[in-house]
Amino acid sequence: MARIEFQHVDKRYSGAEGLAVNDLNLDVKDGEFLVLVGPSGCGKTTALRCLAGLEDISSGDILIGDRVVNDLPPKDRDIAMVFQSYALYPHMSLFENMAFSIRMRKAPKAEVESKVREAAQILGLEKLLDRKPGELSGGQRQRVALGRAIVRDPAAFLMDEPLSNLDAKLRVQTRAEIARLHQRLGTTIVYVTHDQVEAMTMGDRICVMRDGLLQQVGTPQELYEHPVNLFVAGFIGSPAMNFLTGRVAHDGAAAALALDGLQITLSGRAAAAARTCGDGQTLTIGMRPEHLDVATAHTSNAVRVPVLVDVVEFLGNDALLHATVGGTEVVALVPVARGVAVGDRVELAIADDLVHTFDPQTDHTLGNTAAA
Amino acid sequence: MTAVAAPLTTPRQGRRQGRLRRLFSRSTVNIILVVIGLLWLLPSFGLLVTSFRPAQDFFSAGWWQAIAHPFTLTLDNYRHILQTGGIGDAILTTALITVPATLLVVLIASLAAYGLVFLRWRGRDWVLVLIVALMVVPLQMALIPVASLYRSVGLFNSIPGVVLFHVAFGLPFAIFLMRNFYTGIPKDLLEAARIDGANEWMMFRRIVLPLGKPALASLAIFEFLWVWNDLLVSLVFLSGSSHVPITVAILGQLRQFGSNIDLISTASFVSMIIPLGVFFAFQRYFVRGVLAGAVK
Amino acid sequence: MTAVPSAAAPRARPIPEVRTGRPPRRGGVPRSAVVVLFMFPAALLLGAIVVYPAVASVARSLYDKNGNTFVGADNYRTLFGTSDILVAIRNNAIWVIVFPFLVTFLGLVFAVLTERIRWATAFKTVVFMPMAISLFATGVIWRIVYETDPHRGVINSAVGTVVDVIHPPGLYALPNIKPISGVSGAADGSMVSAQTVQPGGTVRLGLTGIPLSAVPPAAQDARAAATVATAISGLVWRDFSPGGHVGTIDPGEKGLPGLHLNLVGADDKTVATTTSGNDGAFRFDGAAAGTYHVALDASNFRTAFGGVNWLGTQSLTPTSSLGTTGQALLTIPLVDLAAIMAMLWMWSGFAMVVIGAGLAALNREVLEAARMDGASELQTFRYITFPLLRPVLIVVFITMIINVLKIFDIILALVPDSAQQQANVIALEMWRIGFGGSPDYGLGSALAVFLFVLVVPVIFVNIRRIRG
C-alpha cells in the first residue's frame, strides 16, 4: 500500500513541440481509487506511463510510498499495470501469464502456485488456467489482465483504459467488479479513462486533464457541482452542460443576459455573479440538461429561457429535448408527462442556484469557486 | 475510362457473353492450367527418369520413351553412388555447411532485430538503412578481400570459413525479415513484461523469441535452401579442399555431360531431395517468408 | 488555458532544482551495454565479411594484378576494352531487359488464372516448387531438356513433331542420295533433268547413293519409258548395279516409286506434277507445245527435323558484318533465351505467389463496385485491379532485376563449355578473372565494383520504400 505523488512533473517527448505533461502536481492517498480523465491527447496516459516507469520524466519528481522513483526501472517500483490491450502473452497459458511476474522475481514454486490459484479464484478463472489467451472471450481476457496484476500484490495498480475493448454490457459489469476488487484489496489504484461516466462511477477522486495541464481534482460530486472552469463543466456530466453566452445588462437591482435579441432575466446566484461584471460585459451561463424543466405557473426562483423545440428523443420516463434559443442549441431532460412536441415554443426553467456562471474571457468559474 | 460505358448489351448478347465467360472461367482455364502444370513438372520428371537409366540409353532414346519400357530402368546409378561414397561425402559436407549457417543466421538475426526494434539507441534508424542497403550488395564485392583475409587467418578451404561467409551475407535479409515481424508485436507486451520484472534478455528469451517462431521458421527455411543450393561461395572458398559440397562435386563432372549423365543426373537428384523435402514439409512458412521478404 | 485550480496537490517537500543523472541506469546494466550485447554478433560479421571487404574491393580495383602497383582507372578501362567482358555485360543487359518483364507477366497471368480454379493450391505448389531446387540443379535439368537430338531432348522432340507434320520428311530422305545420270542437283534441294524435253519426248533420270534397304519394297525393275505423242514421259531409277553402267538400265536395277515430279516450263514455272509408279515410270499428259525440264521435287529428299542447338553459339541477330566489338555488343545469342526459359521455370512461382498475395489483399468490394458500375471483367482488370496491383508488380520487377544481375550458377551448369563464352555474364567472368587459372585480383575487383554500381539505384529505391 502506498501513496503516490507527482511533484512538478514535466514530460516532453523528443521532437514534440509542447509538453505532454505540464507541471503536474498530484497526491494520491494510500488506498485511494484515483481516476485520470480527459479527452485523448490530454496527457493522462503519459502521466500514467511516467508513473509506471515506461517513460522517463523530463523534470519533477514522482514518489511511490516515500521513495523518489524517477530513476527506478518499472520492475523496482512495486506497481502492476493493466493495459488497454491487456498485453497478455499469447504464447503462454493463463497460469503462466499470471505467474510470469513472480517467477521473474524467483518466487518459490509453491508460492507461485498458491498466489496464482488465489488470484484465479478471486476472479473466477480457476477452470481456465490451462487455456491460452487466444481461446478466451474479451471479458475473460480482461479478468486475466487483472489477475496478473493481483498476483503481484503491488503497492499500486495502474490501469490504462482497461474497459475500452469491452462491449457496453460487459463494461458495466466489469466496472462493478473492479470497484469490488478495490474494496477487497484496498490497494491504491490509478485509473486512466477518457469516459467521464466511468470516471464518475468508479473514482474516489477524479483528476481532469487537458493539453497536459491538470484542470481540477476532486470527488465526483465536487466536480459535478463545482467545476472550476468551462472545460470541466462541459466534460463532466452527460448529456453535457448547456452554455449560453451574452452581454450583461443591468436594470437597477435586476440583471439580465442579452443574446440574439432576447433578454434572459437572471436571479439568485447568477444575478450575484452578473453584478460583479460591468454593463455590456460578456458572461456565460451553464445549465445542466437534467436541471432544466418546462416552466409552469408555479415555478419560482428560476431563470427562464424561451426555446423552440427541434427534436424530441424519447427515453422512457424522460424525454431529451433538443431546442434552440437564438442560434444556440440547448438540451433539456424533462419528464415525458410535460407533453412537449417538435415545433413547440416552450419556456425552460432552472432553479437559479443551479445556474453556473463563467467568464468567457478566462473560462474560469465566476462567484461560486469550487472548494476541493 | 471511356470503356466503362460499354456493356449496354441486349439480353441475348448478354446471355451469350455469360455463357462465354462461364466457358472461359471453367473448362478453358482448367485445361490451360493443367497443361502448364504438366509442363512445369516435365523437366524435373525428366531428370528423375534419367537418373534411373544406364548412361548408354541416354544416347539412344529420350527419357520419355523409357517410361514405355519400365524394365529398362534400373537402380544401378543409385547403388553405384552409395557404394563409391563420393556423393555421400559431398552431401554430408553440404549439410555440415548448411545446418550451422542456418542456426547462426537465425540466432544472430533475431538478436540484432530485437536490438533494432525494442531497444532505443542513437543511430538505430541509420543502422536499419544500412541493413536495407546491404541486402542487395552482391557478394562478389566481398569474394576477393575475404579470400585474402581467410588465407591469412587459415579459414581458406575450411568449412567454418564458408559458414561464416554465408551467415554474414544472409544477415541483412534475415535481420530485415525479423525486424518486420517484431514490429508487429504489440509494444504493450514488452512493457507488461518489463513491469513484471523482466530484463532485456528475459524479454527476448521469454516473450519475443517464442512469439517470433513463425518468422524464425520462415527465415530458417529460407536460409537452409539458400545455403544448401549455393555453388559460388563453396567454389571460391572450398574448391581446394578434399571435402566439397554436392554442387561443386557435380560441377566437376559436367565437362563430360553425356557420358557422365548417369552420375550427374543421379547426384543432382540426390542433391534436390532434401531441399524438396523441406519445401513440401514447410511450404506454408516458405511462402510466408517470401512474402515478408518481398512485400514491405 | 491556464486554469490550474487552487485544488493543486500540496507541495509536500522541497524539490531539488537541478536534475541529474539522465539517462538512468536500468536494472544495474547500462543500456548501452545491452545494445552492444544484442547488436555485436551481427555487427562483427557484417563488418568483417560484408562492409570492410566491399570497401577493400573498391581500393583493390585501383591496383594491378598482384596488388603492388597503383594503376588508377586502368582496370576499368580494361573492363570496357575487352570483348569477353563486353559480351558478359551485354548478356546481363539482355537478361535485365527481357527477364523481369517476362517473369512478372507470367506471374501475373498465373496469379489471375489460379483465382478461378479450385485446385489453386496444387497448381501453385507445382509452379513454386522449382524455387526449392538449386540454380545449379536447374541448369542440369534443363540441359537434358535442351538436348539437340530430337530423340533425347524433349523440346527438340516436340518441335520436331510439329515440323515433321508441316514439312514431312521425304520418302528418299537419305544422307548420300545424289543424281548420277540425266539429272543434276539444284540449289533448292530439288534435282532437274539435264536436257530439256518436248511433248512426245522422254527423259531418264538416274539416281544413286540409295541403299537397297531404302528402296520401297513395292519397287519393280526399271523399264525404259514408252513414248506417248501428246505427253512427256520418263523414268526415274536407281542407276546402280554391280557391273552396271552409268546411264543405262542394267538388269536388276529398280525403278524408284513415289517420287514427286514437276514439269517446269521455260519460265521456271511448274505447269504439271505427277508421281512415279512402282517401276519408276512417270508421265505428264497434255502438256502444251514447248520445251520443259523435269524436276524431282525437293520434298522427296527433305530430311527429318534434326534438332535446334539451343545451347550453341548461334545468334538471333545477323551480326557477321560487324567487327569484334560490334558483335560483342549487338549479338543476341540463342543460348541466352534458352537460359532465360530455364530461369522463368524457376522464378515464375515466386512472381505468382507474391502477386497472388497482392490480389488476395485487394479490397473485394472495390472490384465489386467496378462490376456494379458496369465494367466488364477485362475492364475491371485494366482499370481497377492492375493499377492497384502496381506496387506489388514493381516489387517483383525490382527483385528480379537484382536476381538477374547476380546470375551465375545456371550459366555454369546449363551452358556447355563450348558456348559459355557466348553466354558469359558479369558474375561468371568475375569468378573466372578472380579465381581462374591466373587470378587477376585488380580486374576482378573492378568487375565486382561495376556489378555493385549496377545495383546502387535499387538500394535507393529500397531505402525510400522503407522510410516512406
Side-chain angles (χ1 to χ4, degrees):
Chain A
M1 315 298 128
R3 62 191 273 251
I4 292 167
E5 265 184 85
F6 288 80
Q7 296 181 346
H8 299 284
V9 170
D10 282 352
K11 170 67 188 174
R12 183 190 300 278
Y13 284 108
S14 60
E17 258 180 45
L19 289 167
V21 173
N22 189 347
D23 193 26
L24 178 64
N25 287 290
L26 186 61
D27 189 353
V28 187
K29 298 184 188 78
D30 186 11
E32 188 177 27
F33 194 130
L34 181 101
V35 180
L36 290 171
V37 69
S40 62
C42 72
K44 57 190 191 298
T45 296
T46 305
L48 190 76
R49 290 170 62 83
C50 288
L51 175 57
L54 295 171
E55 309 280 355
D56 297 330
I57 55 176
S58 307
S59 66
D61 279 306
I62 294 178
L63 287 84
I64 298 176
D66 283 322
R67 280 189 308 171
V68 176
V69 296
N70 298 358
D71 294 347
L72 281 183
K75 68 184 168 93
D76 297 335
R77 295 192 181 194
D78 196 19
I79 38 122
M81 184 152 168
V82 177
F83 289 83
Q84 182 175 7
S85 66
Y86 315 142
L88 302 181
Y89 310 125
H91 56 298
M92 299 182 189
S93 70
L94 292 204
F95 186 93
E96 289 168 318
N97 259 288
M98 296 208 270
F100 187 78
S101 64
I102 44 176
R103 278 183 176 162
M104 284 289 123
R105 287 175 169 67
K106 308 213 162 56
K109 228 176 173 180
E111 189 192 333
V112 172
E113 184 79 21
S114 71
K115 283 203 163 175
V116 172
R117 299 263 169 225
E118 191 191 330
Q121 191 244 323
I122 292 174
L123 295 163
L125 293 167
E126 301 105 309
K127 291 191 178 126
L128 304 174
L129 283 175
D130 293 331
R131 303 258 186 99
K132 295 251 173 91
E135 302 165 54
L136 302 182
S137 70
Q140 287 168 331
R141 276 183 230 178
Q142 213 283 336
R143 267 183 284 157
V144 178
L146 286 176
R148 202 165 62 172
I150 292 172
V151 168
R152 288 279 308 279
D153 192 16
F157 290 122
L158 313 185
M159 302 193 184
D160 184 8
E161 308 237 9
L163 305 184
S164 61
N165 284 337
L166 300 178
D167 63 44
K169 193 176 162 199
L170 214 50
R171 204 175 301 165
V172 174
Q173 278 177 17
T174 314
R175 225 154 67 184
E177 196 163 346
I178 292 177
R180 227 173 288 133
L181 206 62
H182 179 235
Q183 281 164 16
R184 175 170 177 169
L185 301 172
T187 311
T188 313
I189 295 182
V190 180
Y191 185 108
V192 162
T193 181
H194 65 274
D195 179 353
Q196 60 90 20
V197 176
E198 228 170 276
M200 296 290 274
T201 51
M202 298 179 80
D204 293 335
R205 280 195 305 154
I206 298 172
C207 162
V208 182
M209 293 184 72
R210 181 192 189 189
D211 294 338
L213 286 167
L214 187 146
Q215 306 287 311
Q216 186 173 8
V217 187
T219 64
Q221 194 177 358
E222 282 165 4
L223 261 54
Y224 182 78
E225 291 177 355
H226 305 292
V228 296
N229 59 25
L230 265 173
F231 175 75
V232 175
F235 191 78
I236 299 291
S238 172
M241 187 186 280
N242 299 299
F243 298 111
L244 293 176
T245 302
R247 293 189 180 280
V248 175
H250 294 292
D251 183 12
L257 193 67
L259 67 155
D260 288 331
L262 80 132
Q263 293 243 332
I264 296 171
T265 309
L266 302 176
S267 60
R269 232 168 54 164
R275 244 168 262 128
T276 66
C277 305
D279 203 33
Q281 212 178 319
T282 53
L283 176 74
T284 300
I285 59 170
M287 302 166 292
R288 296 200 180 276
E290 56 272 32
H291 295 157
L292 286 166
D293 198 351
V294 177
T296 64
H298 309 293
T299 309
S300 60
N301 293 338
V303 172
R304 292 161 182 263
V305 184
V307 298
L308 171 65
V309 178
D310 286 334
V311 176
V312 178
E313 284 175 15
F314 177 71
L315 300 177
N317 193 36
D318 296 321
L320 204 55
L321 309 184
H322 294 259
T324 50
V325 48
T328 315
E329 192 187 11
V330 172
V331 174
L333 191 69
V334 303
V336 168
R338 300 285 183 267
V340 181
V342 173
D344 288 356
R345 287 182 186 280
V346 297
E347 204 169 37
L348 293 174
I350 179 170
D352 53 19
D353 58 344
L354 291 175
V355 175
H356 299 259
T357 47
F358 307 92
D359 176 353
Q361 256 72 53
T362 63
D363 287 354
H364 282 289
T365 297
L366 285 170
N368 56 338
T369 310
Chain B
M1 291 278 194
T2 51
V4 176
L8 288 170
T9 45
T10 67
R12 251 178 76 194
Q13 272 176 320
R15 208 178 309 135
R16 200 181 320 135
Q17 273 188 356
R19 212 182 301 142
L20 232 115
R21 189 184 308 144
R22 221 173 304 130
L23 198 73
F24 186 67
S25 62
R26 291 265 160 78
S27 343
T28 322
V29 169
N30 271 298
I31 291 167
I32 291 174
L33 290 184
V34 165
V35 170
I36 292 174
L38 289 177
L39 281 179
W40 236 259
L41 284 174
L42 199 70
S44 332
F45 189 64
L47 179 78
L48 177 65
V49 175
T50 304
S51 74
F52 285 106
R53 302 176 76 204
Q56 64 269 19
D57 282 15
F58 178 72
F59 292 101
S60 53
W63 55 265
W64 58 95
Q65 280 151 302
I67 301 168
H69 309 285
F71 51 88
T72 62
L73 298 178
T74 164
L75 281 169
D76 281 355
N77 299 338
Y78 287 91
R79 208 171 290 140
H80 180 73
I81 274 187
L82 282 179
Q83 278 160 5
T84 51
I87 297 300
D89 182 71
I91 291 276
L92 184 67
T93 306
T94 300
L96 284 178
I97 294 169
T98 307
V99 173
T102 305
L103 294 178
L104 279 175
V105 163
V106 167
L107 179 68
I108 296 175
S110 357
L111 278 172
Y114 183 93
L116 282 175
V117 175
F118 297 117
L119 299 178
R120 268 184 264 163
W121 42 286
R122 192 176 301 177
R124 187 177 73 158
D125 294 347
W126 286 107
V127 169
L128 179 65
V129 167
L130 178 70
I131 299 237
V132 170
L134 291 182
M135 263 183 3
V136 292
V137 169
L139 56 80
Q140 277 78 6
M141 275 298 270
L143 291 179
I144 287 172
V146 172
S148 307
L149 181 75
Y150 278 6
R151 282 203 184 91
S152 63
V153 297
L155 281 172
F156 204 71
N157 282 330
S158 80
I159 288 180
V162 175
V163 169
L164 288 181
F165 193 89
H166 276 304
V167 173
F169 270 89
L171 275 178
F173 173 78
I175 294 171
F176 184 65
L177 189 83
M178 293 314 296
R179 186 206 85 102
N180 284 352
F181 190 85
Y182 285 173
T183 47
I185 295 179
K187 282 244 180 344
D188 281 4
L189 279 185
L190 277 290
E191 290 178 345
R194 179 168 282 147
I195 290 178
D196 278 351
N199 59 27
E200 297 292 347
W201 177 252
M202 286 291 190
M203 280 158 36
F204 174 69
R205 269 282 290 116
R206 305 287 293 274
I207 312 288
V208 172
L209 212 53
L211 285 175
K213 264 187 206 152
L216 289 177
S218 297
L219 175 61
I221 291 159
F222 238 82
E223 236 8 76
F224 184 91
L225 293 177
W226 173 258
V227 178
W228 184 280
N229 289 335
D230 162 73
L231 169 69
L232 176 59
V233 177
S234 295
L235 201 54
V236 168
F237 295 119
L238 209 54
S239 56
S241 159
S242 51
H243 298 285
V244 295
I246 183 79
T247 45
V248 177
I250 304 173
L251 182 69
Q253 305 292 328
L254 282 187
R255 233 162 255 275
Q256 282 84 42
F257 188 76
S259 47
N260 285 345
I261 189 68
D262 48 349
L263 178 64
I264 292 169
S265 59
T266 310
S268 297
F269 199 79
V270 167
S271 81
M272 285 161 49
I273 290 173
I274 288 177
L276 281 179
V278 167
F279 170 77
F280 283 116
F282 304 106
Q283 196 185 352
R284 204 159 45 99
Y285 291 105
F286 187 44
V287 169
R288 225 181 272 162
V290 164
L291 295 178
V295 189
K296 185 79 197 206
Chain C
M1 291 242 358
T2 52
V4 177
S6 57
R11 208 170 265 213
R13 63 181 66 212
I15 297 144
E17 284 300 311
V18 185
R19 310 289 327 148
T20 53
R22 251 167 238 295
R25 292 159 63 98
R26 295 253 138 132
V29 186
R31 222 183 241 179
S32 53
V34 173
V35 172
V36 167
L37 197 78
F38 279 92
M39 302 305 294
F40 178 71
L44 177 70
L45 279 171
L46 286 174
I49 300 186
V50 183
V51 177
Y52 152 72
V55 176
S57 271
V58 176
R60 188 65 185 79
S61 72
L62 304 175
Y63 286 82
D64 73 345
K65 184 169 174 167
N66 304 314
N68 301 324
T69 320
F70 181 84
V71 296
D74 273 9
N75 285 320
Y76 292 93
R77 268 191 284 276
T78 313
L79 217 83
F80 298 106
T82 312
S83 66
D84 281 356
I85 299 177
L86 287 178
V87 165
I89 294 170
R90 173 255 291 161
N91 280 335
N92 269 106
I94 294 175
W95 277 92
V96 167
I97 291 166
V98 176
F99 184 74
F101 271 108
L102 286 180
V103 86
T104 310
F105 175 76
L106 267 188
L108 182 60
V109 169
F110 289 174
V112 169
L113 290 185
T114 45
E115 285 218 311
R116 299 151 182 263
I117 58 170
R118 292 205 186 128
W119 48 287
T121 316
F123 180 83
K124 284 183 174 170
T125 303
V126 165
V127 177
F128 198 50
M129 183 195 67
M131 282 282 288
I133 300 173
S134 65
L135 277 161
F136 184 77
T138 301
V140 171
I141 286 172
W142 280 81
R143 194 141 159 195
I144 297 175
V145 169
Y146 280 132
E147 278 290 323
T148 308
D149 184 340
H151 294 300
R152 285 196 257 159
V154 70
I155 288 194
N156 275 324
S157 173
V159 173
T161 307
V162 175
V163 168
D164 287 351
V165 165
I166 300 167
H167 295 296
L171 202 52
Y172 295 89
L174 303 167
N176 296 320
I177 192 165
K178 55 177 182 281
I180 188 163
S181 60
V183 62
S184 55
D188 62 354
S190 64
M191 298 181 191
V192 183
S193 59
Q195 269 91 47
T196 57
V197 62
Q198 295 175 341
T202 64
V203 288
R204 276 202 291 195
L205 311 172
L207 304 181
T208 189
I210 308 164
L212 259 182
S213 59
V215 177
Q220 295 165 2
D221 283 354
R223 280 184 292 111
T227 307
V228 181
T230 57
I232 294 169
S233 53
L235 167 72
V236 53
W237 89 110
R238 179 173 180 263
D239 184 12
F240 176 83
S241 59
H245 298 281
V246 171
T248 60
I249 305 167
D250 297 306
E253 290 183 347
K254 300 279 188 191
L256 294 173
L259 279 162
H260 301 287
L261 297 120
N262 302 326
L263 190 63
V264 183
D267 55 356
D268 273 349
K269 281 205 175 126
T270 298
V271 296
T273 62
T274 186
T275 306
S276 60
N278 282 346
D279 56 358
F282 60 85
R283 198 169 77 203
F284 297 101
D285 287 315
T291 58
Y292 300 92
H293 285 283
V294 174
L296 293 163
D297 197 86
S299 67
N300 294 309
F301 315 111
R302 187 157 52 212
T303 52
F305 176 73
V308 175
N309 186 7
W310 299 101
L311 304 176
T313 55
Q314 65 272 48
S315 165
L316 291 174
T317 45
T319 49
S320 50
S321 58
L322 298 168
T324 332
T325 310
Q327 279 194 18
L329 289 177
L330 295 175
T331 304
I332 301 177
L334 184 60
V335 61
D336 274 12
L337 299 192
I340 284 172
M341 280 274 289
M343 274 292 267
L344 278 179
W345 178 74
M346 183 154 183
W347 283 101
S348 293
F350 167 85
M352 171 188 68
V353 165
V354 173
I355 297 170
L359 272 179
L362 290 186
N363 184 351
R364 295 283 128 183
E365 287 181 359
V366 172
L367 302 184
E368 281 161 9
R371 297 291 283 281
M372 297 304 292
D373 285 346
S376 72
E377 216 158 319
L378 223 63
Q379 286 167 330
T380 308
F381 183 83
R382 165 75 184 77
Y383 295 108
I384 312 291
T385 312
F386 187 78
L388 289 177
L389 268 184
R390 226 175 46 191
V392 178
L393 298 180
I394 290 173
V395 166
V396 171
F397 201 85
I398 291 176
T399 311
M400 288 303 121
I401 288 179
I402 300 176
N403 233 320
V404 150
L405 282 173
K406 300 178 186 173
I407 189 165
F408 172 81
D409 320 38
I410 193 154
I411 304 295
L412 205 52
L414 175 69
V415 182
D417 287 1
S418 55
Q420 276 196 7
Q421 200 57 52
Q422 190 64 278
N424 207 359
V425 285
I426 297 173
L428 190 57
E429 185 63 18
M430 188 262 156
W431 172 66
R432 288 230 172 83
I433 292 173
F435 301 94
S438 64
D440 183 338
Y441 277 6
L443 189 57
S445 296
L447 205 45
V449 171
F450 177 65
L451 194 59
F452 174 71
V453 168
L454 293 180
V455 302
V456 163
V458 176
I459 291 179
F460 284 105
V461 170
N462 276 349
I463 289 174
R464 259 186 50 194
R465 271 218 319 260
I466 302 302
R467 314 205 103 186

